[in-house]
Amino acid sequence: LSSAMVGYLKAIWMLVTNITYMSIVFSLSALYFVVTGIQYWATDYLESELNGNEKVVRGQFLLTSATAPVAGVIFGGWFVEQIGGYKGKAQRRKALGWCLVFGVLASVTAVFVTAVDDTWEATALLWVLLFFGGAVLPGGSGIFISVIPTNIRTIGSSFAAIVFNLFGD
């Protein structure tokens, strides 16, 4: 093997043995997987199971899917900065704790989506779910890069993108 290939393999090894990095990358992959499922199935569920009008449901979901994740990402980025960012172990731990809170709120909301029988209520809950899912992204994305050495961050970002595409879509 060439020295460049050996260096690349060492970098990959550093990534896959970094528990924090891999945990966040797989958690974000799961988030992307869920969001993809919601985007694919939500309108069908709202129309067939909740007997929603096709045009109304499509409008509801268009508004929800266009605004909730964006608002969540903006809020999540703002919130992480307000609590001190993610520079240093203590700050990363604090930011990850809040990412966990946002993820739990999204998960709990998902349970209630299935408990309502009105498309407006379900869409409102989907908005909350997608908002809190989006709020996880700024902290999670910043932290998974910040926990790896600067000299392999490009490889770390590329490796994460591969994992996201393999398991998140």
Side-chain angles (χ1 to χ4, degrees), residues 82-103:
Q82 294 303 304
I83 63 169
Y86 45 80
K87 301 277 191 223
K89 274 188 174 183
Q91 287 307 113
R92 274 197 298 268
R93 190 174 295 119
K94 186 176 185 180
L96 273 177
W98 279 103
C99 287
L100 176 63
V101 169
F102 297 150

Side-chain angles (χ1 to χ4, degrees), residues 70-88:
V70 173
V73 167
I74 292 168
F75 170 78
W78 172 84
F79 189 83
V80 167
E81 286 301 314
Q82 294 303 304
I83 63 169
Y86 45 80
K87 301 277 191 223

Side-chain angles (χ1 to χ4, degrees), residues 1-167:
L1 294 174
S2 70
S3 62
M5 181 59 86
V6 170
Y8 183 74
L9 292 174
K10 283 182 181 179
I12 296 296
W13 181 252
M14 289 173 70
L15 295 173
V16 299
T17 58
N18 184 320
I19 294 170
T20 305
Y21 171 84
M22 291 303 295
S23 297
I24 296 170
V25 167
F26 279 116
S27 295
L28 291 177
S29 293
L31 174 71
Y32 294 141
F33 181 80
V34 169
V35 169
T36 301
I38 289 170
Q39 289 174 335
Y40 185 80
W41 289 107
T43 54
D44 187 49
Y45 174 78
L46 294 170
E47 289 171 16
S48 63
E49 297 301 316
L50 300 185
N51 300 315
N53 175 283
E54 181 181 346
K55 288 183 181 181
V56 173
V57 164
R58 306 249 171 196
Q60 289 171 320
F61 193 69
L62 176 66
L63 185 63
T64 298
S65 63
T67 61
V70 173
V73 167
I74 292 168
F75 170 78
W78 172 84
F79 189 83
V80 167
E81 286 301 314
Q82 294 303 304
I83 63 169
Y86 45 80
K87 301 277 191 223
K89 274 188 174 183
Q91 287 307 113
R92 274 197 298 268
R93 190 174 295 119
K94 186 176 185 180
L96 273 177
W98 279 103
C99 287
L100 176 63
V101 169
F102 297 150
V104 167
L105 290 170
S107 298
V108 168
T109 304
V111 172
F112 290 105
V113 170
T114 62
V116 299
D117 59 1
D118 176 72
T119 62
W120 291 100
E121 292 171 0
T123 306
L125 289 167
L126 283 172
W127 195 97
V128 173
L129 186 160
L130 292 171
F131 174 86
F132 283 117
V136 171
L137 287 176
S141 298
I143 294 168
F144 87 73
I145 289 296
S146 74
V147 297
I148 57 178
T150 55
N151 62 324
I152 65 166
R153 286 187 178 168
T154 304
I155 294 170
S157 179
S158 299
F159 184 80
I162 291 169
V163 172
F164 297 155
N165 282 293
L166 286 175
F167 300 110

